[in-house]
Structures are given as C-alpha cells and as structure tokens.
Amino acid sequence: TDEFKTYARAVVDNAKVLAEGLLARGIDLVTGGTDTHLILADLTRKDVPGKAAAIALEKAGIVCNYNSVPFDKRKPFDPSGLRLGTPAITSRGMGEDEMKRVASWIADVIENVDDHAAHARIAGEVKDLCDQFPAPGL
C-alpha cells in the first residue's frame, strides 16, 4: 500500500540519520552508513565490547543487539559490534530530530559504558521521549 511505502521510506530515512549521527560522534559503521533499516556499529576503535555496550544501552532504555563484525577478533558471545534498527521507533512516529537525539544518547553511553549515573539520566530522557511517541496498539 502507499501507506506501507511511506512507512518503509521513513524507516530507511531514520536509519540514515541515525547512522550519520553515530559517525559524527566517532562510532565506526561496518558499511560506512546504511541503505537499509539496520546499522552495524564496530566498537573496536572505542575499545568497548559490543556486549558491554548493549547491556549499558539497555540500562539507558535503548535496546539493541551485540553482534560480530567482519574480521572480529573477539569471541561470538562477546563481539565487537552493535546491531541497531529503526522500525520500532519509526512505528512510534519518531523522525529525524529524534534520531539525532538517539544517536547522541548511544554515543554518550558508549563513551561512558561504566557510568551508571549517566545511564540512569539517559534512561529518564529516553522515557520522556517515548512518552511523547506511544507505541501503536497499546
């Protein structure tokens, strides 16, 4: 449908903005950006394991997956990457401005992976944003 085409374009547009925001904060992306709904961040240069970053991000209210990256020197259950997607937040009605905020929060958590106070602060900000964009059907 035309409605789904519009939604699918918004998902990809949001992923591109999120990718640009992460790159601007010095987070390497496996493909240098994205043309799809997914982003694979390589945290090797940040010296932060993907699993530790994913756990910290979840504490900050941002759910993602830890993931291996090409030529990863880390083990599969504690890899160097993060897999991020935009369908869920796009379904909530979020757009470019929100993607920029999410990119900033992700970078802040990665840069402060052991700072539990920062995670709690960001979790509050994430909740405030999500309250403005309720999940459809709930």
Side-chain angles (χ1 to χ4, degrees), residues 28-45:
D28 295 328
L29 305 182
V30 169
T31 58
T34 189
D35 290 323
T36 70
H37 63 295
L38 292 174
I39 299 165
L40 183 55
D42 182 347
L43 304 181
T44 302
R45 282 192 323 121

Side-chain angles (χ1 to χ4, degrees), residues 67-79:
N67 206 96
S68 293
V69 297
F71 311 107
D72 205 336
K73 291 184 167 74
R74 300 185 63 81
K75 298 190 185 278
F77 289 107
D78 189 19

Side-chain angles (χ1 to χ4, degrees), residues 22-100:
L22 295 171
L23 287 167
R25 290 287 299 269
I27 296 173
D28 295 328
L29 305 182
V30 169
T31 58
T34 189
D35 290 323
T36 70
H37 63 295
L38 292 174
I39 299 165
L40 183 55
D42 182 347
L43 304 181
T44 302
R45 282 192 323 121
K46 293 287 187 183
D47 199 28
V48 175
K51 186 174 184 178
I55 290 168
L57 283 162
E58 187 165 352
K59 290 177 183 173
I62 299 170
V63 178
C64 63
N65 300 98
Y66 53 93
N67 206 96
S68 293
V69 297
F71 311 107
D72 205 336
K73 291 184 167 74
R74 300 185 63 81
K75 298 190 185 278
F77 289 107
D78 189 19
S80 300
L82 287 176
R83 186 180 66 154
L84 305 157
T86 55
I89 53 181
T90 304
S91 293
R92 294 179 84 126
M94 294 186 198
E96 263 188 52
D97 291 340
E98 292 77 29
M99 295 309 107
K100 291 174 184 175

